[in-house]
């Protein structure tokens, strides 16, 4: 109760944003005061209890709900009733980017949000976003705000599982353990092959794109971003909350307009 009182006192009279990002296995929620991240949490099950607590602690006014799954109508309805301005991130939402993707209807909302966040955090520069999650995605945004496109490849855990599931004798390995240049046994060979392969892939994309965009600024985000941060030869900026930042920017853009 004391903590809740302090929060309500500190933010009384301010307009705070609620960000809800629903992924395949978890839901991330965050509170922003304009571009400042105040609080973030991950909900493995229902997000409702966590959201109730945030509404008690903060004067939430604006909100955006993004999902890679089917829209949760109960959640959307609850948010629309409790917020003054509510945005469901679909194809009708205005974007602070020009989308040059040939099939924009198939472009994941998390990919758009990451691109928007990168452009907002580093305006005036060509940027590459590498999102190291279940899949590894690469997004290119030009300095003008034009989203050029991107690539998709299997992520770290996905590669480990694929080697185990689609072969007869390879064990299920994970990233926990030493990674050598050359494996000296089956387990270390799998780990070295997967981890080094991803690092070389990332460095390769960065190097090739810098030939096209010499001043390219690179963001690394996603659940495995810090794992790869020190394994890359290229200079990158790790930003674990880049998608949330992008969703907040999209929300603010729609409120402004």
């Amino acid at each position: 109760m004391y903590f809740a009182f302090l929060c309500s006192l500190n933010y009384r009279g301010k307009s705070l944003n609620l960000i809800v990002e629903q992924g395949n296995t978890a839901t991330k929620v965050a509170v922003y005061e304009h571009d400042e991240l105040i609080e973030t949490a991950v909900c493995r099950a229902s997000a409702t209890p966590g959201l109730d607590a945030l509404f008690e602690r903060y004067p939430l006014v604006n909100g955006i709900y993004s999902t890679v799954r089917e829209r949760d109508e109960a959640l959307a309805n609850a948010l629309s009733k409790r917020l003054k301005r509510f945005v469901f991130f679909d194809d009708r939402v205005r974007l602070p980017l020009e989308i040059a993707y040939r099939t924009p209807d198939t472009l994941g909302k998390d990919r758009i949000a990451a691109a928007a966040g990168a452009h907002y955090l580093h305006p005036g520069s060509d940027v590459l976003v590498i999102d190291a999650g279940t899949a590894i995605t690469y997004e290119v945004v030009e300095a003008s705000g034009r989203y050029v496109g991107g690539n998709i490849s299997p992520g770290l855990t996905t590669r480990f599982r694929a080697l185990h599931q689609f072969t007869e004798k390879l064990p299920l390995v994970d990233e926990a353990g030493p990674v050598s240049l050359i494996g000296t046994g089956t387990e270390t060979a799998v780990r070295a092959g997967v981890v080094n392969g991803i690092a070389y892939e990332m460095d390769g994309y960065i190097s090739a794109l810098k030939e096209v965009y010499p001043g390219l600024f690179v963001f690394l985000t996603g659940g495995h971003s810090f794992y790869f941060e020190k394994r890359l030869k290229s200079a990158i900026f790790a930003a674990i909350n880049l998608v949330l930042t992008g969703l907040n920017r999209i929300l603010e853009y729609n409120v402004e307009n």
Side-chain angles (χ1 to χ4, degrees):
M1 292 294 293
Y2 182 64
F3 177 68
F5 173 76
L6 282 178
C7 288
S8 62
L9 182 65
N10 290 340
Y11 292 100
R12 184 176 298 165
K14 295 185 178 181
S15 176
L16 301 187
N17 297 336
L18 174 65
I19 314 301
V20 180
E21 183 211 352
Q22 194 172 50
N24 288 307
T25 59
T27 299
K28 293 181 181 179
V29 295
V31 174
Y32 279 82
E33 182 186 1
H34 299 299
D35 59 356
E36 180 184 357
L37 178 62
I38 304 300
E39 182 174 336
T40 183
V42 177
C43 307
R44 296 294 176 185
S46 172
T48 303
L51 290 175
D52 289 341
L54 289 178
F55 273 102
E56 290 177 4
R57 291 208 296 273
Y58 301 108
L60 301 170
V61 176
N62 309 312
I64 185 169
Y65 165 35
S66 174
T67 180
V68 299
R69 297 183 274 168
E70 290 295 322
R71 167 173 159 148
D72 185 331
E73 293 298 339
L75 176 60
N77 289 336
L79 292 173
S80 65
K81 291 178 181 178
R82 301 181 76 168
L83 294 164
K84 182 178 180 180
R85 300 180 187 88
F86 170 68
V87 175
F88 175 68
F89 190 8
D90 58 16
D91 294 338
R92 296 171 292 181
V93 169
R94 295 175 180 175
L95 299 174
L97 298 173
E98 175 194 351
I99 304 297
Y101 209 61
R102 291 186 178 180
T103 56
D105 55 314
T106 67
L107 182 58
K109 298 299 183 286
D110 53 342
R111 295 175 63 191
I112 299 174
H119 180 65
Y120 176 70
L121 291 176
H122 216 271
S125 296
D126 302 313
V127 296
L128 167 65
V129 177
I130 303 176
D131 191 334
T134 304
I136 301 173
T137 58
Y138 300 85
E139 322 296 347
V140 177
V141 184
E142 294 178 338
S144 63
R146 181 175 180 264
Y147 172 82
V148 178
N151 295 343
I152 305 172
S153 70
L156 182 66
T157 302
T158 303
R159 297 188 196 203
F160 282 133
R161 289 177 179 172
L163 283 174
H164 174 62
Q165 292 176 5
F166 296 107
T167 61
E168 290 289 335
K169 296 183 179 181
L170 290 181
L172 179 60
V173 179
D174 60 28
E175 67 272 21
V179 179
S180 56
L181 180 61
I182 299 295
T184 56
T186 300
E187 181 177 326
T188 57
V190 170
R191 184 178 297 113
V194 169
V195 173
N196 291 332
I198 290 176
Y200 297 152
E201 175 186 301
M202 291 178 177
D203 275 323
Y205 273 121
I206 295 170
S207 178
L209 285 167
K210 281 190 173 182
E211 293 185 9
V212 182
Y213 303 101
L216 188 72
F217 190 90
V218 183
F219 285 94
L220 180 62
T221 190
H224 286 114
S225 56
F226 292 120
Y227 181 78
F228 284 103
E229 181 183 7
K230 295 181 180 180
R231 299 181 185 277
L232 299 182
K233 295 179 180 179
S234 308
I236 55 93
F237 180 79
I240 191 67
N241 294 313
L242 189 61
V243 172
L244 294 175
T245 297
L247 289 172
N248 183 64
R249 175 59 192 136
I250 292 169
L251 172 61
E252 293 257 297
Y253 186 78
N254 280 267
V255 170
E256 292 165 3
N257 291 277

